[in-house]
Amino acid sequence: MSSTRRQSEQSRAASPRVEDPLEAALEGLRREWRAGFDDRLAVAITQSSVRRLRERAATQQAAAAIEEIERRLGRYRSLPREQRKAEVEQLAGALNALRPHLRLLEAPAAPFGKLPTAIDPGRSRRSSNKTTADSPRTVVKPLAPDDPVTALPRVGTSVAQKLENLGVTTVRDLLTLSPREHIDYSRAVRIGSAIDLRDGERLTVRGEIIDLQEHRGPGKGRVVVKLSDGSGWLRVTWFNTYLARQMRLGDEIVVSGKLEMGFGRPSLTSPEWERVGDGSLSTGRLVPVYPLTKDLGQKTLRALTRAVLDATHATIEDHLPREVRERNHLIGLVDAYEQLHYPAEWGDLELAQRRLAFDDLFLLQLGLVRRKRERKAAGGVAFKVDPGLLQRFGSGLPFRLTEAQERALGEVVADLGRPEPMTRLLQGDVGSGKTVVAAAAALVVVGNAFQAAVMAPTEILAEQHYHNFRGLYAHLDEEERPAVALLTGSTRAAERRDTLAAVASGEVDVLVGTHALIQGTVAFPRLGLAVVDEQHRFGVRQRSELPGKGIGAQPDTLSMTATPIPRTLNMVLNGDLDVSVIGELPPGRVPIETRRYVGFDRVRAYHLVREQVRLGHQVFVICPLVEESEAVEAKAAVAEAERLQREVFPDLRVALLHGRMSGKEKDAVMTGFRDREADILVSTSVIEVGIDVPNATVMLIEGADRFGLSQLHQFRGRVGRGGARSYCLLLAEEATPEGEARLQTMVETTDGFVLAEKDLELRGPGDFIGTRQSGLPEMSWLDGSFDTRLLDQAREAAEEVLKSDPKLGTPEHTRLARRLDLFWTKASPDVPL
């Protein structure tokens, strides 16, 4: 070995190691290759590393090549999968070709050790974020995340009340106030090219104010300017006359908003704007756009988030253990908050969202895994299973169990025979036969001289279960037949006293009811099984109280839902439960024919409704989804019922159901409809999942394109229960291409699990979690960054941490334990984790 080469290697060995961004970029591409060309993180790592190569470009040729590589990486995700392999190969070649044209990396001074990597959890990007560093900032004292938001400068009572409308009361709330979107002010287009864009697209332009008009008078005042950049001009309107005092002719400004193409002339209404060169937080960078409330503008929120990021820079404690961050390639928490609000590049925003999404999933899985382990460790009852009893029960039924029912029943019975308490979710489509599985499980428990409780969310569903259980047991001999009783809020006082006494004495084997089952006066001397139907309709406290009504050992718990949930979301929603799935319908069910109608085609739908009523059947009509409030939705339902009664079906009987009614009123309407007191029931989306109206053959859904596939499928399951040919009619005024695709998917498949997976793909997990989580902590990051692989990583990390430290009692897990407690207490303050 030559002396020069030996000295060079000794020098490298003695110096702190410096990560080469070129090698990091190539390693990102290798990772993308190994992942089958679909690893978002790998691409983000490569983009971040290539950006760091800019300062090492030794020639203009190298700088141009790096810019071209960045451009190609930016469009990589839009390429079809089959083209990505060739693109990765070409990108790797382009990176390797840069080697002779890059300046050598210099090592840092010795005291600082090795430089952080592109995804080192400890790294802060603040020093390299020029657009942020150059911005004028208010010096603020250090604040802790749990401090009230009023601790920030210039946040008094008035501003605090407005922030509270956005759910912001603490410093942490402001840190986690996620922007709706970011505007890239650095990528303004020429005004003359705006004509090529579509109406409604985001447009960012930079130009000079060549005309400024202030209009005052009746109604809202407005300011109208003409903005020109030499290639054309654009009309911009703000309904805020104060802006006339902030702008002048000749000012150069940047505006960004949704393009309007009225009468062929491009225009913007109430866009975001910045004056060029005023040193603000915005111009020339990615700018956050926040959800707003009255009298609280974007610039105020940006100033507040900038201030809170600076105030917490030194006080934020990263609760994720270092080994978890490193193993899962996550940036630090300080970096994540900084890049969530003010990312230097789009890739930085993606890394921030990924870290925060992982946090939510990891904390969720920690709680669920720990809850599941603690339940399994509690003392239960190992029930003796009598195969002969189950055989006599099954052979006397008027139908044969499907293979899926047999499999689910086998899993439930196996749990009943184990000494640790069962915590199982029975998931099956509407009409798949979950009730008979629950009845068989109750029979096993009763055969061991224990009792069972069955809780449903509404009185009409509880009454339905009561009659179904009695019918399923009717063929058994008297000595084997369980005694079934009903207890709801409407049970008369004398009957209630008798029922409670019979439960307490053990005369009642199976008690079916509503929330009344968890009231203080109900006591089961030998509760062995708690069944919770439509479990997502109950809060986590209510679900936990039913098993607690027993005396002695922890009873087994069987939860049921008719909501098809993809496997990945089951881990989010029900990660503390074992899951059984009934994935097929009993033979002989008449398929429901689904049709879609757009615009004036609704006349044909109304004709079908009238024909079905003439044949003696009944019809459900679901009103369009209204997101403003339940009150607005109820008002819309009243108006629709009146319109149908007056203009379309004046000779038919139309009833109404909406969310503003009391529970008793809803039950009375549904009971009357079931008893054929009305031909048509107009309802909002509150209509009950398990309601059985065998005579109903038509489900007509107005504004069907506004609902998710899973909810449309739930509505469809309300009909077709009586053996007659049934229809689901999907009506839309003018559906978007995406809405049309959803409706066509409904027409093409009746498989609830296929639709649930498609819904997850189209709408993200927020629709599932937002409406069904019931007692789970809020997880605000999932729609932006939900990835099934991220969920698997979070689950694996949670299990590893709890395996080594079940109580999270070691010093390195002190912050994590504190954060976990806060995360869960906020969602379920009265239920211990």
Side-chain angles (χ1 to χ4, degrees):
M1 181 184 292
S2 71
S3 171
T4 304
R5 181 178 173 187
R6 186 163 51 247
Q7 288 172 1
S8 175
E9 293 194 354
Q10 287 172 349
S11 173
R12 281 201 300 269
S15 301
R17 186 179 68 83
V18 181
E19 188 207 38
D20 186 345
L22 179 61
E23 292 302 328
L26 288 167
E27 179 54 37
L29 291 179
R30 293 185 196 104
R31 174 173 171 164
E32 170 70 355
W33 184 289
R34 290 192 297 268
F37 309 103
D38 193 25
D39 188 334
R40 284 179 175 272
L41 178 61
V43 177
I45 291 170
T46 303
Q47 288 176 305
S48 178
S49 301
V50 171
R51 282 195 300 275
R52 291 162 56 214
L53 283 174
R54 294 174 187 167
E55 59 194 34
R56 291 185 55 201
T59 64
Q60 282 191 332
Q61 180 185 1
I66 291 170
E67 186 176 338
E68 172 62 15
I69 291 170
E70 287 189 85
R71 186 189 66 78
R72 291 172 65 175
L73 284 168
R75 66 179 181 84
Y76 175 83
R77 297 286 307 170
S78 65
L79 293 177
R81 183 78 64 86
E82 60 270 14
Q83 294 180 21
R84 292 183 183 180
K85 179 181 177 182
E87 183 69 359
V88 167
E89 289 174 340
Q90 292 173 23
L91 285 167
L95 285 168
N96 277 310
L98 282 172
R99 290 185 188 278
H101 306 287
L102 298 177
R103 296 188 185 94
L104 293 175
L105 257 174
E106 296 179 3
F112 293 101
K114 77 179 184 76
L115 284 176
T117 69
I119 50 175
D120 189 329
R123 181 184 177 212
S124 172
R125 288 186 177 79
R126 291 172 181 270
S127 59
S128 64
N129 192 344
K130 294 185 176 61
T131 52
T132 301
D134 294 344
S135 304
R137 298 185 188 174
T138 303
V139 177
V140 292
K141 66 178 182 180
L143 296 174
D146 294 325
D147 285 340
V149 74
T150 49
L152 282 165
R154 296 192 294 277
V155 179
T157 305
S158 175
V159 174
Q161 286 174 346
K162 294 166 188 171
L163 287 170
E164 191 171 355
N165 293 334
L166 297 173
V168 174
T169 58
T170 67
V171 166
R172 189 190 309 277
D173 294 334
L174 194 52
L175 283 171
T176 57
L177 180 66
S178 182
R180 289 189 288 109
E181 60 177 330
H182 284 77
I183 300 171
D184 190 350
Y185 274 115
S186 68
R187 298 203 174 181
V189 302
R190 303 289 285 171
I191 292 174
S193 65
I195 197 74
D196 298 326
L197 300 179
R198 289 187 304 176
D199 191 65
E201 278 194 61
R202 165 72 64 181
L203 174 68
T204 302
V205 296
R206 173 173 174 166
E208 179 186 343
I209 298 176
I210 60 172
D211 185 49
L212 190 155
Q213 301 289 333
E214 181 181 3
H215 299 271
R216 293 181 180 272
K220 279 186 175 181
R222 66 188 190 278
V223 173
V224 182
V225 307
K226 285 183 180 178
L227 201 63
S228 171
D229 65 357
S231 69
W233 64 271
L234 179 79
R235 179 182 290 106
V236 187
T237 303
W238 288 275
F239 293 98
N240 180 358
T241 55
Y242 178 71
L243 292 180
R245 296 193 289 278
Q246 294 184 289
M247 298 176 178
R248 297 286 184 273
L249 285 174
D251 280 357
E252 189 176 7
I253 64 173
V254 183
V255 295
S256 184
K258 288 186 178 180
L259 177 65
E260 299 171 0
M261 293 296 294
F263 306 105
R265 167 62 61 183
S267 64
L268 296 174
T269 301
S270 302
E272 295 291 318
W273 75 281
E274 298 287 347
R275 183 179 291 103
V276 174
D278 69 355
S280 71
L281 287 172
S282 303
T283 310
R285 57 161 303 142
L286 295 178
V287 186
V289 178
Y290 296 99
L292 294 179
T293 188
K294 188 178 180 183
D295 297 328
L296 197 63
Q298 291 293 349
K299 292 182 182 178
T300 300
L301 274 172
R302 288 173 196 148
L304 288 173
T305 54
R306 180 68 269 161
V308 83
L309 287 165
D310 293 337
T312 56
H313 185 207
T315 61
I316 290 174
E317 296 181 338
D318 201 329
H319 50 270
L320 276 191
R322 176 170 287 276
E323 64 272 15
V324 173
R325 297 201 303 269
E326 291 177 347
R327 189 183 308 122
N328 294 284
H329 307 294
L330 301 166
I331 62 174
L333 191 56
V334 171
D335 267 0
Y337 286 142
E338 176 72 34
Q339 301 308 324
L340 171 72
H341 295 280
Y342 300 104
E345 305 281 352
W346 291 110
D348 292 332
L349 176 62
E350 190 168 314
L351 291 174
Q353 290 173 332
R354 183 177 183 275
R355 160 62 204 260
L356 294 169
F358 183 93
D359 269 17
D360 279 353
L361 292 169
F362 177 64
L363 293 169
L364 177 77
Q365 294 303 315
L366 268 181
L368 294 176
V369 171
R370 189 158 78 171
R371 183 183 287 172
K372 184 173 183 177
R373 289 185 176 189
E374 289 174 354
R375 282 176 182 163
K376 294 293 185 186
V381 176
F383 295 106
K384 293 179 180 178
V385 180
D386 181 352
L389 177 61
L390 287 176
Q391 195 277 329
R392 289 189 292 278
F393 172 71
S395 63
L397 295 173
F399 51 83
R400 289 187 61 182
L401 298 186
T402 64
E403 286 187 16
Q405 285 174 307
E406 292 277 12
R407 183 170 56 251
L409 179 57
E411 291 167 347
V412 171
V413 168
D415 282 354
L416 292 173
R418 297 188 180 103
E420 64 268 11
M422 172 176 71
T423 52
R424 182 167 290 276
L425 173 68
L426 181 58
Q427 182 182 344
D429 219 337
V430 175
S432 61
K434 298 180 295 296
T435 304
V436 70
V437 175
L443 185 63
V444 171
V445 168
V446 172
N448 283 259
F450 279 79
Q451 296 164 296
V454 181
M455 186 166 70
T458 66
E459 291 193 7
I460 192 166
L461 281 174
E463 184 183 332
Q464 195 168 289
H465 278 310
Y466 168 69
H467 290 297
N468 285 341
F469 269 68
R470 283 170 59 91
L472 289 168
Y473 295 145
H475 64 277
L476 292 172
D477 291 339
E478 189 173 349
E479 62 272 15
E480 291 183 333
R481 189 189 312 143
V484 184
L486 176 67
L487 183 68
T488 70
S490 297
T491 304
R492 296 179 183 275
E495 186 181 351
R496 178 183 179 83
R497 282 195 300 271
D498 293 342
T499 301
L500 291 176
V503 171
S505 67
E507 294 175 47
V508 170
D509 299 311
V510 179
L511 181 62
V512 181
T514 56
H515 304 73
L517 297 189
I518 56 177
Q519 292 178 354
T521 52
V522 181
F524 296 86
R526 290 176 64 80
L527 183 61
L529 174 67
V531 178
V532 183
D533 188 27
E534 292 305 322
Q535 55 98 29
H536 65 271
R537 297 279 302 278
F538 295 97
V540 68
R541 179 183 60 79
Q542 294 168 325
R543 296 201 300 265
S544 67
E545 280 185 352
L546 183 58
K549 300 303 289 185
I551 299 170
Q554 179 80 2
D556 289 352
T557 304
L558 178 65
S559 300
M560 301 194 297
T561 181
T563 303
I565 304 172
R567 180 200 69 85
T568 49
L569 277 186
N570 251 331
M571 288 177 62
V572 175
L573 297 168
N574 307 299
D576 56 338
L577 307 176
D578 298 308
V579 179
S580 292
V581 176
I582 301 178
E584 61 180 302
L585 294 177
R589 283 288 297 269
V590 177
I592 300 167
E593 183 178 341
T594 303
R595 303 177 182 178
R596 62 190 180 100
Y597 302 91
V598 177
F600 291 112
D601 276 355
R602 70 176 54 249
V603 175
R604 292 163 52 208
Y606 291 155
H607 177 75
L608 179 59
V609 166
R610 185 173 290 282
E611 178 63 19
Q612 287 295 302
V613 173
R614 187 187 66 79
L615 293 172
H617 297 302
Q618 292 166 280
V619 177
F620 289 105
V621 174
I622 303 297
C623 292
L625 183 66
V626 180
E627 296 186 354
E628 282 89 340
S629 70
E630 193 176 68
V632 174
E633 193 168 57
K635 188 175 179 181
V638 171
E640 176 66 4
E642 290 175 349
R643 184 187 74 83
L644 289 175
Q645 181 73 85
R646 183 179 63 252
E647 299 177 12
V648 186
F649 305 114
D651 53 328
L652 303 183
R653 299 167 297 168
V654 179
L656 174 66
L657 182 74
H658 59 72
R660 300 286 283 182
M661 292 177 168
S662 68
K664 286 187 178 180
E665 287 174 323
K666 291 178 190 173
D667 283 339
V669 170
M670 282 305 307
T671 301
F673 186 61
R674 185 186 60 192
D675 295 342
R676 305 193 185 190
E677 294 174 7
D679 304 306
I680 298 172
L681 177 62
V682 176
S683 174
T684 59
S685 56
V686 300
I687 191 166
E688 306 302 345
V689 169
I691 294 301
D692 194 1
V693 184
N695 192 48
T697 58
V698 178
M699 171 60 68
L700 185 152
I701 305 168
E702 288 277 5
D705 55 315
R706 302 188 201 176
F707 293 99
L709 290 172
S710 293
Q711 196 166 15
L712 289 173
H713 183 65
Q714 290 288 304
F715 293 147
R716 179 165 60 186
R718 312 293 199 282
V719 297
R721 300 186 178 197
R725 185 177 180 184
S726 298
Y727 304 87
C728 178
L729 311 180
L730 307 175
L731 275 62
E733 281 298 332
E734 189 177 341
T736 63
E738 294 80 7
E740 284 273 4
R742 269 206 308 278
L743 298 186
Q744 187 58 33
T745 302
M746 281 293 296
V747 172
E748 291 171 355
T749 183
T750 58
D751 188 320
F753 290 96
V754 170
L755 291 170
E757 290 285 0
K758 188 70 175 175
D759 219 10
L760 178 60
E761 177 188 326
L762 291 173
R763 292 160 66 93
D767 184 53
F768 284 88
I769 294 170
T771 56
R772 305 189 186 106
Q773 75 186 47
S774 196
L776 291 180
E778 184 177 347
M779 293 172 284
S780 54
W781 312 107
L782 293 191
D783 273 346
S785 303
F786 187 75
D787 183 330
T788 57
R789 288 168 296 188
L790 195 67
L791 175 58
D792 290 335
Q793 290 168 8
R795 181 78 172 195
E796 182 181 329
E799 289 175 342
E800 283 293 321
V801 167
L802 290 175
K803 183 178 179 181
S804 64
D805 186 8
K807 299 292 185 183
L808 299 181
T810 58
E812 62 264 32
H813 292 148
T814 301
R815 293 176 180 175
L816 178 60
R818 200 160 52 231
R819 182 72 185 98
L820 179 68
D821 183 61
L822 178 66
F823 183 75
W824 278 89
T825 300
K826 194 172 181 181
S828 308
D830 47 1
V831 179
L833 184 61

